[in-house]
Amino acid sequence: MQRPASTAIGLVHDEREPELARRLAAQLGMVPIPLKSASGATLRGMQGVVYSIDLANHKIVAKARQGLAAAGTHGPLIFAVDNKEGYHRSRIQANALGATMVLRRPLEPEKVRIALRELGLLVPEAAPTLIEARPSGVSVKAAAQVLNSAFSALKAGSQLDVRQSIQASRQLLDGVGKVGLNSWLETVRDYHEGTFQHCLLVTGAAVAYARQAQLPERDQLELSVAALLHDIGKAEIPLEILDKPGRLTDAEFDIVKRHPTIGRDYLRQQKSLPAAVLSAVTHHHEYLDGSGYPEGLKGDEIDLVTRILTVCDVYGALAERRSYKEPKTPQEAILILVDMADRGKVEYDIVRTLGAAVGVVLPEGRFRLF
């Protein structure tokens, strides 16, 4: 889609929240548009559009679809979805309407501002945002910008900005080191959802591991970049599968299992990416007992960076906050990883080092839960 020339950002709202829309528009310099007025002529040429409407109402959805179809040319679309029963169906509806990003209702100005900036949309310069005011905020923001650029580049088939990834990794090493992993992860959970949240959580865990293990600087950077990009292949996996709250069907899981090779094939085309990063992106779902994918590697066939990333990936998944689940505590997550080590899937010493980084002390050598 061609980027419109206009710098206006529209805020389309339904009749339930005109006051909220006016307040948001005033704080962020947006143009409030009642849904009934969101015609093609109104939306055409907008730099971007934020929709805060009831996506469970078929008449409202039809009106939104009609306006967007008539507009033809517009920028990225952000949809706000009610955080209640039917959330998943509404999110699928948002994706069907062409959502670039999905937030939760009611909209909060700070989260809208962050979303607009991540999508490269113009917003008025102001005092530092709430996320930037946090000690961990700058590094979280930098990492999120890398993810947005990387996912967009893969979808568009364009070049990845490797220097941006390395620069963000340096900020991560500094940010996580200053505040500690648990505080950094809480900032991520407060401001990000879905695949971006997961990638950021995994990256934070990888950086904390690297610092705890006192890896050489080059190895720290490689592990951080690999963690940032490890799920880039999910850019081509349908969101209704990625965000499904229940168990995936075999067919759906087969689709998800394509993401490591999709990421590998894309990253192979980029310049200056170390072989360790490519290997970790390709094999971060491999387990020591050969039960992983995509190649069923075993034991020493899996390099050390990949082994570390696999543990951090599991930790990130357990630490996620989703609409249908609360995050595991650090102790709960580490003990689950200990059980996986006990079953021969991951390396216990890596789990122990990550445990130390999150304040969970484990004994040296083999440790069995039962």
Side-chain angles (χ1 to χ4, degrees):
M1 180 186 300
Q2 184 178 1
R3 176 62 60 86
S6 169
T7 60
I9 301 170
L11 175 60
V12 178
H13 61 91
D14 58 30
E15 68 280 359
R16 294 187 300 168
E17 48 188 27
E19 186 57 39
L20 174 62
R22 281 194 293 269
R23 189 163 64 249
L24 278 167
Q27 292 186 43
L28 299 175
M30 301 166 71
V31 179
I33 306 170
L35 178 63
K36 62 183 179 182
S37 302
S39 63
T42 306
L43 300 177
R44 190 173 300 117
M46 285 281 180
Q47 189 195 21
V49 185
V50 178
Y51 274 85
S52 182
I53 59 177
D54 184 3
L55 291 172
N57 185 311
H58 297 301
K59 292 183 178 179
I60 288 177
V61 169
K63 175 65 178 174
R65 182 179 290 110
Q66 180 183 15
L68 286 168
T73 302
H74 52 75
L77 301 176
I78 299 174
F79 281 85
V81 176
D82 284 311
N83 185 20
K84 61 182 183 181
E85 185 178 356
Y87 166 82
H88 182 61
R89 289 192 297 274
S90 293
R91 181 158 186 152
I92 291 175
Q93 183 65 74
N95 294 334
L97 288 169
T100 310
M101 185 179 291
V102 176
L103 303 177
R104 295 182 188 273
R105 296 178 86 188
L107 285 171
E108 299 175 18
E110 181 64 18
K111 292 187 178 181
V112 175
R113 187 192 302 274
I114 291 169
L116 294 174
R117 286 182 173 176
E118 286 182 3
L119 293 173
L121 299 177
L122 300 177
V123 293
E125 290 299 325
T129 63
L130 291 177
I131 186 174
E132 291 169 329
R134 293 189 180 189
S136 52
V138 172
S139 57
V140 172
K141 179 183 174 184
Q145 288 174 335
V146 168
L147 289 175
N148 183 64
S149 298
F151 275 58
S152 298
L154 187 149
K155 286 183 176 180
S158 57
Q159 285 290 308
L160 174 72
D161 189 339
V162 175
R163 288 180 299 177
Q164 182 191 32
S165 300
I166 295 173
Q167 182 180 5
S169 295
R170 293 187 187 279
Q171 289 179 297
L172 278 162
L173 289 164
D174 182 58
V176 175
K178 283 181 177 177
V179 302
L181 177 60
N182 293 333
S183 177
W184 198 88
L185 297 186
E186 194 56 45
T187 299
V188 170
R189 286 189 291 252
D190 282 348
Y191 289 95
H192 296 278
E193 295 182 350
T195 300
F196 271 28
Q197 180 189 130
H198 173 73
C199 290
L200 291 169
L201 296 176
V202 173
T203 304
V207 167
Y209 177 95
R211 293 182 66 88
Q212 181 67 34
Q214 298 183 340
L215 297 180
E217 182 180 0
R218 178 177 177 178
D219 293 348
Q220 291 190 33
L221 282 172
E222 286 186 353
L223 179 58
S224 177
V225 172
L228 266 175
L229 301 177
H230 80 283
D231 270 349
I232 188 173
K234 286 184 177 177
E236 292 193 357
I237 306 299
L239 283 175
E240 58 267 28
I241 295 179
L242 290 179
D243 295 331
K244 183 177 178 179
R247 186 179 180 84
L248 297 179
T249 66
D250 289 344
E252 289 169 337
F253 189 46
D254 284 342
I255 293 173
V256 170
K257 288 197 295 185
R258 298 174 190 167
H259 79 270
T261 51
I262 292 172
R264 176 203 64 198
D265 292 345
Y266 170 70
L267 294 177
R268 274 180 175 170
Q269 304 170 32
Q270 314 308 311
K271 298 178 180 179
S272 306
L273 273 178
V277 172
L278 290 173
S279 177
V281 169
T282 306
H283 300 301
H284 66 276
H285 283 291
E286 304 282 7
Y287 291 127
L288 298 177
D289 63 358
S291 64
Y293 64 88
E295 297 176 16
L297 301 183
K298 290 184 178 182
D300 291 340
E301 294 175 331
I302 307 170
D303 62 80
L304 179 59
V305 172
T306 303
R307 293 186 191 198
I308 296 170
L309 182 56
T310 299
V311 169
C312 294
D313 184 46
V314 174
Y315 187 89
L318 295 170
E320 283 182 60
R321 176 182 291 129
R322 294 272 186 150
S323 61
Y324 52 88
K325 82 171 189 74
E326 284 298 305
K328 299 290 186 185
T329 66
Q331 184 173 26
E332 289 170 338
I334 291 297
L335 288 179
I336 289 172
L337 279 162
V338 168
D339 179 57
M340 292 180 66
D342 199 33
R343 292 183 285 123
K345 292 187 174 296
V346 296
E347 190 170 327
Y348 175 76
D349 284 343
I350 294 174
V351 175
R352 185 170 65 85
T353 302
L354 181 60
V358 299
V360 180
V361 179
L362 298 174
E364 293 186 15
R366 298 296 295 170
F367 169 70
R368 301 186 75 85
L369 284 174
F370 305 105

